[in-house]
Amino acid sequence: MKKNIILIGFMGVGKGTTARAYAEKYNCFNIDTDDLIESKANRKIKHIFEEHGEKYFRALEQECADWIESSVNNTLISCGGGFFNVNNLKNLGRVVLLDASYEWIYNRLSTAENAKAKLKKRPLFSEPKKAKKLYKERAKAYKKIADVIIDVENQDMKSIIKEIYKKAYI
Ligand code: S3P
């Protein structure tokens, strides 16, 4: 069994921010699947979607999951919002869901200091109505695949990372 923590959850729930806070506090390395894909494709996610479409991006996510399975251990891995659909997620480590309501997520993204950029880099968040539909479609699946569920809506960062450490550290 791999000793990775796999952070999943909807776009904008704070996976990257949480991962960095966790890595600093608990002294581990953190990698992000979107960053890995962008560096391999030498393009931003937005451009991968524009040039090749979503299906191509999903294939890159699967390649990324296969590489993690063969080559990564003892690492905190933050994942793009759709990464949970790869066919080997459960082989990658302990799956931790950051959970919050759509309204909370939307509010977090749209009131962020760099809100425009945060929304712009996420092709599937370009239309809030569609994003909400996607949230509804995924909500159950996220919970079903998770080993641990963390409610981030009612917690500050310090207690979120403490809860992850307690429940998912292996
Ligand atoms: C996606 C989420 C994005 C990124 C891509 C697709 C999704 O990552 O992987 O735009 O399908 O939910 P974040 O969850 O980091 O925004």
Side-chain angles (χ1 to χ4, degrees):
M1 178 67 183
K2 287 217 177 266
K3 293 187 177 182
N4 294 315
I5 294 178
I6 311 296
L7 267 195
I8 65 164
F10 201 68
M11 289 175 275
V13 75
K15 289 163 290 181
T17 313
T18 305
R20 284 187 290 275
Y22 185 99
E24 183 186 9
K25 166 87 179 163
Y26 296 109
N27 192 27
C28 66
F29 278 101
N30 152 235
I31 56 176
D32 180 276
T33 61
D34 282 346
D35 292 347
L36 290 167
I37 289 167
E38 286 189 341
S39 67
K40 183 168 188 288
N42 194 18
R43 273 166 184 67
K44 294 285 179 199
I45 302 288
K46 187 176 178 287
H47 296 131
I48 300 176
F49 269 73
E50 281 166 6
E51 285 174 37
H52 301 285
E54 182 172 348
K55 205 170 163 203
Y56 181 87
F57 174 73
R58 299 302 172 200
L60 288 175
E61 287 193 314
Q62 185 59 57
E63 260 187 55
C64 181
D66 293 344
W67 174 73
I68 292 168
E69 184 172 5
S70 68
S71 311
V72 182
N73 208 356
N74 301 311
T75 300
L76 174 61
I77 301 164
S78 49
C79 303
F83 191 85
F84 75 109
N85 276 322
V86 296
N87 61 28
N88 53 345
L89 189 78
K90 298 292 264 188
N91 297 342
L92 307 185
R94 215 130 140 85
V95 179
V96 176
L97 169 66
L98 300 188
D99 190 38
S101 66
Y102 177 79
E103 286 66 30
W104 184 86
I105 291 171
Y106 185 75
N107 188 49
R108 176 179 181 273
L109 274 184
S110 53
T111 58
E113 210 174 281
N114 46 349
K116 246 189 170 173
K118 278 186 175 276
L119 288 167
K120 209 172 147 195
K121 75 169 191 182
R122 296 180 161 97
L124 300 179
F125 226 116
S126 58
E127 292 174 51
K129 252 193 182 166
K130 279 194 184 162
K132 187 168 186 178
K133 188 168 170 269
L134 188 62
Y135 177 93
K136 278 192 180 161
E137 283 165 12
R138 284 183 180 168
K140 268 194 194 152
Y142 281 138
K143 288 192 173 140
K144 199 168 168 211
I145 207 159
D147 297 308
V148 173
I149 300 173
I150 314 269
D151 173 9
V152 298
E153 193 165 330
N154 300 305
Q155 286 199 73
D156 61 20
M157 186 54 77
K158 222 174 158 186
S159 57
I160 291 171
I161 59 176
K162 202 168 172 189
E163 194 180 340
I164 297 174
Y165 183 81
K166 271 204 218 144
K167 294 186 174 165
Y169 182 73
I170 9 176

